[in-house]
C-alpha cells in the first residue's frame, strides 16, 4: 500500500446533470495468484479536458485502462464512462469510449484504409456517412496518400496516427490513450499531441492518457493522477502539485556507489531537505528555505568531495513524480 | 441476431480480403489438393485394377477423398490466424468494440468453409477434365459440399480451441502437424476400406464420414441412410467443436 491518497486541490465533483467523463470509485482488481493490480483507486476525469495518469511500470495503469474499456473485469468498486456504468452496461460504454492502446492493434497485413473501414463498420457506419468519416480522418491524420498501403509498411508515427484514427472513428465522448508516444520520435510525438489538444479544444472531447513523459503531462493535462503499486498516491492540477513543492530542487550526479550512499544519508539528516530521490545516477533533493538551506546542501557535497555536475532548479512534475512514485537507487 | 450476422460477415470479409490480396497464397491454397491429386493418381493408379476396387478409376475414387483432406489441411491452420490476431492486439481491439463476441469465432470459421468449397469445386472441375463422371449429379455434389463444409468448420473450430488454450504458435504448429497426417491416411480418402487392415479405426474418423457420404451420394445408387448417418455425425461433431471454441474464447476473455 502506498498510504492514503492525497488530493492537492479541492476534490472535483461533477454536477449530476453532467457526469464526469470518467468516474472511478474504489476500484479493486486482483489477478490470479493474488497479484493486486488495483487497490482501491478513485479519481475523476473532467469533461473536455486532458487527464494524465502517471506511474511507474506495474503501477496499474494498463489494468485501469483495460477495466475502463470493458476488456477486463474487476473485483470491487465502479467505473463510469460518460455517465454509463462499465459493469452493468458494457456494450454502451464501448460505444462511448475510444481506446488507443500502448501496443499496436491494427492489422499489419491489411491496408490502412481497410483497417479503418472495418473499425467504422463495426460501429455501424455505412454508405456516404462511412466514406465521409474515413476521408475526414485520413485527411486529418495525414494518411490520405498512404491509405491504400499495407500497414506493415508504415512508419511508427504513421501507425500511431492510424491507431488514433481507429480510436476516433465513432466520435467517442471519451478518448483513452495508453502511452501513445512510446516508441515514437519527438517530431511524431509533437504532431500527435497537437492533434489531441485540438480534439479537446475544438471538439470538447475528454481525454485520459497515461504517459511516462512527465513534461507532456505537465504541458497538456489539466489534472494529474499519480499511481503507485495499484493506488493513487497523489492527484491534482500540475500547477497545484508543483506548488506543493515550494522550495528548490538540487540535482547532483553521483557515480561512485559508496559516495552516493554517504551523500544520501548526509542529505537526509539536513532539516532543510524534505525528500531525496534517485533518477538513475542522479540524486534529487527537495530543499525548503532560503539561500542558507542551499548552502548546507552544498557543504555536504563539498565535505564528500563531490566533483560531478550540480544543478539547482524549480520543482517540475518529475520531482512530484519521484517523490510520490518512488525513485530509489 | 442481425448484428451477429453482420459482424460475422464483416470479420469473414476481412480474412478473405487478406487471403485474396496475396495471389501466391491464394494459388498455393487452391493448387495444393490438385497437386496431391495428380501425384496420388500416378502413385496409386494400380490400386484401381485390384479386384473389388469400388470405382471406375482412381481419380474418380480420389476426388471426394482429396476434397475432404484438402478441407482438413486448410482449416487446421485457422487457429494460427486467431493467434496472430491475439499477438497483434487485433483481438483486444475487437473486444473493446461493440462487435458481437460470437462473431469473432464465426468470422474466423466461415472463411475456412468458403475456401474449402472453392477447393472442392476446383477439384471437381479438374476431375471432370480428366474424364471422371459422377452419376449422383447435383444432389451428390451438394452432399459432398455440405460434408466438406461441416468438416472444415469442425477442424477450424478445434484449431481455434487449441490456439486459445495453448497460445503458442510452436505448440499449435506441432500439434496440428501431428494430427492431420494420421487423420488423412487413416481415412478412406486414399484407399478403400476393404484394402486396409481391419484394425485401423477408419470408421471413427470424421474424414472418412465426409468421404463415404460423398462417394455414395455421387454414385448411381446412393445409400441414403448411410449418407444421413454420416451427415448427422458430422453435424453433431461440428456443433460440439464450435461450442468448444466459443467456450475457449470465453475463457480467453476472462484471462485478459
Amino acid at each position: 500500500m502506498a498510504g492514503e491518497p492525497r488530493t492537492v486541490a479541492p476534490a472535483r465533483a461533477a454536477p449530476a446533470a453532467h457526469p464526469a467523463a470518467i468516474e472511478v470509485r474504489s476500484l479493486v482488481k486482483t489477478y490470479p495468484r493474488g497479484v493486486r493490480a488495483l487497490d482501491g483507486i478513485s479519481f475523476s476525469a473532467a469533461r473536455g479536458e486532458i487527464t494524465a495518469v502517471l506511474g511507474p511500470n506495474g503501477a496499474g495503469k494498463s489494468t485501469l485502462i483495460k477495466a475502463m474499456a470493458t476488456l477486463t473485469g474487476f473485483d470491487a468498486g465502479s467505473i463510469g464512462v460518460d455517465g454509463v456504468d462499465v459493469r452493468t452496461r458494457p456494450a454502451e460504454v464501448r460505444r462511448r469510449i475510444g481506446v488507443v492502446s500502448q501496443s499496436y492493434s491494427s492489422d499489419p497485413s491489411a491496408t490502412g484504409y481497410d483497417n479503418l473501414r472495418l473499425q467504422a463498420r463495426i460501429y455501424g457506419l455505412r454508405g456516404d456517412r462511412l466514406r465521409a468519416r474515413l476521408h475526414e480522418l485520413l485527411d486529418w491524420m495525414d494518411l490520405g496518400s498512404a491509405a491504400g498501403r499495407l500497414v506493415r509498411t508504415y512508419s511508427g508515427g504513421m501507425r500511431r496516427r492510424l491507431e488514433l484514427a481507429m480510436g476516433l472513428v465513432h466520435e467517442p465522448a471519451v478518448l483513452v490513450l495508453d502511452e501513445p508516444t512510446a516508441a515514437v520520435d519527438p517530431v511524431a510525438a509533437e504532431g500527435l499531441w497537437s492533434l489531441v489538444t485540438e480534439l479537446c479544444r475544438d471538439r470538447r472531447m475528454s481525454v485520459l492518457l497515461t504517459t511516462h513523459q512527465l513534461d507532456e503531462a505537465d504541458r497538456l493535462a489539466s489534472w494529474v493522477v499519480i499511481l503507485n503499486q495499484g493506488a493513487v498516491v497523489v492527484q491534482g492540477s500540475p500547477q497545484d502539485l508543483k506548488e506543493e513543492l515550494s522550495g528548490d530542487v538540487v540535482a547532483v550526479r553521483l557515480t561512485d556507489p559508496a559516495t552516493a550512499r554517504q551523500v544520501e544519508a548526509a542529505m537526509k539528516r539536513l532539516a532543510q531537505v524534505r525528500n531525496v530521490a534517485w533518477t538513475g545516477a542522479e540524486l534529487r533533493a527537495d530543499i525548503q528555505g532560503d539561500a542558507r538551506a542551499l548552502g548546507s546542501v552544498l557543504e555536504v557535497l563539498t565535505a564528500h568531495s563531490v566533483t560531478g555536475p550540480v544543478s539547482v532548479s524549480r520543482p517540475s512534475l518529475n520531482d512530484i513524480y519521484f517523490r510520490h512514485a518512488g525513485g530509489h537507487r | 441476431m442481425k448484428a451477429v450476422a453482420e459482424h460475422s460477415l464483416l470479420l469473414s470479409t476481412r480474412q478473405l480480403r487478406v487471403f485474396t490480396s496475396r495471389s501466391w497464397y491464394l494459388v498455393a491454397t487452391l493448387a495444393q489438393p490438385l497437386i496431391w491429386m495428380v501425384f496420388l493418381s500416378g502413385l496409386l493408379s494400380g490400386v484401381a485394377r485390384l479386384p473389388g476396387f469400388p470405382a471406375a478409376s482412381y481419380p474418380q475414387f480420389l476426388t471426394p477423398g482429396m476434397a475432404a483432406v484438402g478441407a482438413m489441411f486448410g482449416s487446421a491452420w485457422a487457429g494460427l490466424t486467431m493467434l496472430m490476431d491475439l499477438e497483434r492486439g487485433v483481438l483486444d481491439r475487437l473486444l473493446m468494440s461493440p462487435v458481437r463476441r460470437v462473431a469473432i469465432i464465426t468470422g474466423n470459421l466461415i472463411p475456412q468453409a468458403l475456401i474449402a468449397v472453392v477447393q472442392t469445386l476446383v477439384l471437381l472441375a479438374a476431375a471432370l477434365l480428366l474424364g471422371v463422371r459422377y452419376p449422383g449429379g447435383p444432389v451428390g455434389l451438394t452432399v459432398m459440399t455440405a460434408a466438406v463444409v461441416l468438416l472444415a468448420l469442425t477442424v477450424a473450430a478445434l484449431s481455434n480451441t487449441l490456439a486459445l488454450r495453448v497460445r503458442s504458435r510452436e505448440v499449435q504448429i506441432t500439434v496440428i502437424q501431428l494430427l492431420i497426417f494420421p487423420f488423412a491416411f487413416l481415412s478412406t480418402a486414399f484407399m478403400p476400406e476393404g484394402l486396409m487392415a481391419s484394425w485401423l479405426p477408419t470408421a471413427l474418423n470424421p474424414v472418412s464420414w465426409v468421404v463415404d457420404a460423398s462417394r455414395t451420394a455421387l454414385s448411381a445408387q446412393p445409400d441414403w441412410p448411410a449418407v444421413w448417418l454420416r451427415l448427422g455425425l458430422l453435424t453433431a461433431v461440428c456443433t460440439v467443436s464450435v461450442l468448444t471454441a466459443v467456450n475457449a474464447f470465453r475463457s480467453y476473455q476472462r484471462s485478459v
Side-chain angles (χ1 to χ4, degrees):
Chain A
M1 277 294 294
E4 278 297 297
R6 295 170 335 99
T7 302
V8 184
R12 304 193 299 183
H18 299 286
I22 294 173
E23 189 81 49
V24 178
R25 286 283 157 257
S26 311
L27 192 66
V28 175
K29 162 83 180 176
T30 308
Y31 280 114
R33 294 190 219 128
V35 179
R36 183 157 280 208
L38 300 174
D39 198 4
I41 283 177
S42 296
F43 72 90
S44 64
R47 280 173 180 269
E49 291 181 11
I50 300 180
T51 302
V53 176
L54 309 176
N57 292 329
K61 302 187 298 292
S62 291
T63 305
L64 175 67
I65 287 181
K66 282 182 183 175
M68 271 175 204
T70 74
L71 192 56
T72 189
F74 44 91
D75 308 317
S78 66
I79 307 175
V81 173
D82 196 30
V84 179
D85 187 77
V86 164
R87 206 194 280 275
T88 55
R89 295 168 65 201
E92 185 54 33
V93 167
R94 288 177 198 129
R95 297 200 166 274
R96 296 185 187 215
I97 196 169
V99 182
V100 180
S101 302
Q102 186 180 344
S103 46
Y104 294 135
S105 66
S106 50
D107 181 354
S109 55
T111 64
Y113 186 86
D114 282 348
N115 268 287
L116 198 55
R117 185 176 177 279
L118 174 67
Q119 189 77 357
R121 290 291 314 270
I122 286 172
Y123 283 93
L125 269 72
R126 59 182 71 209
D128 290 343
R129 212 174 130 228
L130 170 79
R131 277 187 290 278
R133 182 70 181 144
L134 297 190
H135 189 72
E136 180 196 20
L137 278 169
L138 290 167
D139 254 14
W140 191 24
M141 299 294 154
D142 198 19
L143 288 170
S145 58
R149 272 167 48 193
L150 294 182
V151 171
R152 70 159 63 92
T153 66
Y154 282 20
S155 69
M158 289 166 80
R159 198 140 180 212
R160 275 283 160 217
R161 295 202 300 276
L162 175 66
E163 300 276 335
L164 184 59
M166 288 167 76
L168 289 171
V169 79
H170 55 298
E171 299 182 72
V174 179
L175 179 68
V176 175
L177 304 164
D178 192 5
E179 293 183 25
T181 51
V184 167
D185 70 62
V187 175
E190 199 51 48
L192 206 64
W193 288 132
S194 61
L195 285 171
V196 170
T197 314
E198 197 182 318
L199 277 170
C200 272
R201 192 187 54 223
D202 302 343
R203 308 195 180 207
R204 299 292 298 153
M205 196 173 274
S206 314
V207 176
L208 182 133
L209 69 95
T210 70
T211 178
H212 284 304
Q213 309 292 328
L214 301 179
D215 55 328
E216 287 177 347
D218 198 355
R219 194 156 50 93
L220 300 164
S222 59
W223 194 258
V224 170
V225 180
I226 299 183
L227 297 186
N228 196 18
Q229 294 178 6
V232 175
V233 285
V234 68
Q235 57 179 313
S237 71
Q239 197 51 40
D240 289 342
L241 288 171
K242 281 186 287 189
E243 277 172 13
E244 188 206 15
L245 288 184
S246 51
D248 291 315
V249 176
V250 173
V252 54
R253 196 170 164 75
L254 296 165
T255 45
D256 175 48
T259 313
R261 272 195 303 276
Q262 289 164 7
V263 170
E264 185 181 1
M267 291 269 204
K268 281 180 173 168
R269 282 196 293 272
L270 292 176
Q272 300 95 328
V273 172
R274 291 195 307 185
N275 187 57
V276 177
W278 289 95
T279 322
E282 190 178 70
L283 179 143
R284 296 176 75 85
D286 307 343
I287 58 169
Q288 189 71 45
D290 51 24
R292 280 170 295 179
L294 189 58
S296 318
V297 170
L298 294 175
E299 272 170 30
V300 168
L301 298 179
T302 313
H304 289 88
S305 310
V306 173
T307 55
V310 179
S311 67
V312 181
S313 60
R314 300 291 304 153
S316 68
L317 203 55
N318 275 350
D319 298 298
I320 312 292
Y321 179 86
F322 286 112
R323 182 167 179 195
H324 293 288
H328 299 289
R329 189 184 167 96
Chain B
M1 201 61 205
K2 190 178 160 224
V4 172
E6 193 183 337
H7 292 165
S8 300
L9 182 67
L10 278 175
L11 296 180
S12 301
T13 312
R14 170 195 161 225
Q15 288 211 358
L16 287 169
R17 201 180 278 254
V18 172
F19 180 70
T20 51
S21 65
R22 293 184 213 151
S23 47
W24 58 268
Y25 184 25
L26 180 71
V27 169
T29 304
L30 297 180
Q32 194 197 24
L34 272 180
I35 294 168
W36 274 66
M37 191 154 99
V38 170
F39 286 148
L40 287 171
S41 295
L43 195 70
L44 300 171
S45 59
V47 175
R49 291 193 292 274
L50 289 171
F53 186 77
S57 68
Y58 192 72
Q60 189 198 37
F61 174 80
L62 181 63
T63 304
M66 209 53 249
V69 169
M72 176 179 66
F73 278 7
S75 50
W77 304 107
L80 277 184
T81 312
M82 181 65 82
L83 266 183
M84 280 196 282
D85 278 352
L86 195 154
E87 289 165 4
R88 290 169 171 175
V90 176
L91 197 54
D92 283 354
R93 177 166 53 76
L94 290 174
L95 286 171
M96 289 188 278
S97 78
V99 83
R100 301 303 284 261
R101 277 43 192 153
V102 74
I104 298 176
I105 292 287
T106 49
N108 177 289
L109 302 186
I110 292 167
Q112 300 302 328
L114 289 176
I115 293 167
V117 169
V118 176
Q119 267 185 346
T120 302
L121 295 177
V122 169
L123 278 168
L124 270 173
L128 290 174
L129 285 177
L130 290 172
V132 171
R133 295 291 175 267
Y134 290 107
V139 176
L141 176 66
T142 307
V143 168
M144 178 160 87
T145 309
V148 161
V149 164
L150 287 169
L151 181 70
L153 292 175
T154 303
V155 176
L158 292 175
S159 178
N160 272 290
T161 305
L162 180 68
L164 289 163
R165 295 281 180 198
V166 301
R167 296 183 210 166
S168 147
R169 285 200 212 192
E170 292 76 13
V171 176
Q172 179 84 6
I173 291 168
T174 309
V175 173
I176 296 294
Q177 284 191 329
L178 182 78
L179 292 176
I180 55 175
F181 287 102
F183 271 94
F185 288 100
L186 297 181
S187 74
T188 49
F190 308 126
M191 279 284 169
E193 201 174 354
L195 294 177
M196 293 160 80
S198 58
W199 56 269
L200 290 173
T202 50
L204 300 176
N205 186 344
V207 180
S208 298
W209 302 342
V210 176
V211 178
D212 298 345
S214 305
R215 279 191 190 132
T216 185
L218 288 165
S219 69
Q221 286 156 336
D223 176 358
W224 288 111
V227 170
W228 291 122
L229 171 68
R230 283 164 181 80
L231 287 180
L233 284 170
L234 282 165
T235 307
V237 168
C238 182
T239 307
V240 172
S241 304
V242 172
L243 291 176
T244 311
V246 171
N247 195 35
F249 190 74
R250 290 207 177 113
S251 151
Y252 165 75
Q253 275 183 269
R254 281 193 297 272
S255 74
V256 174

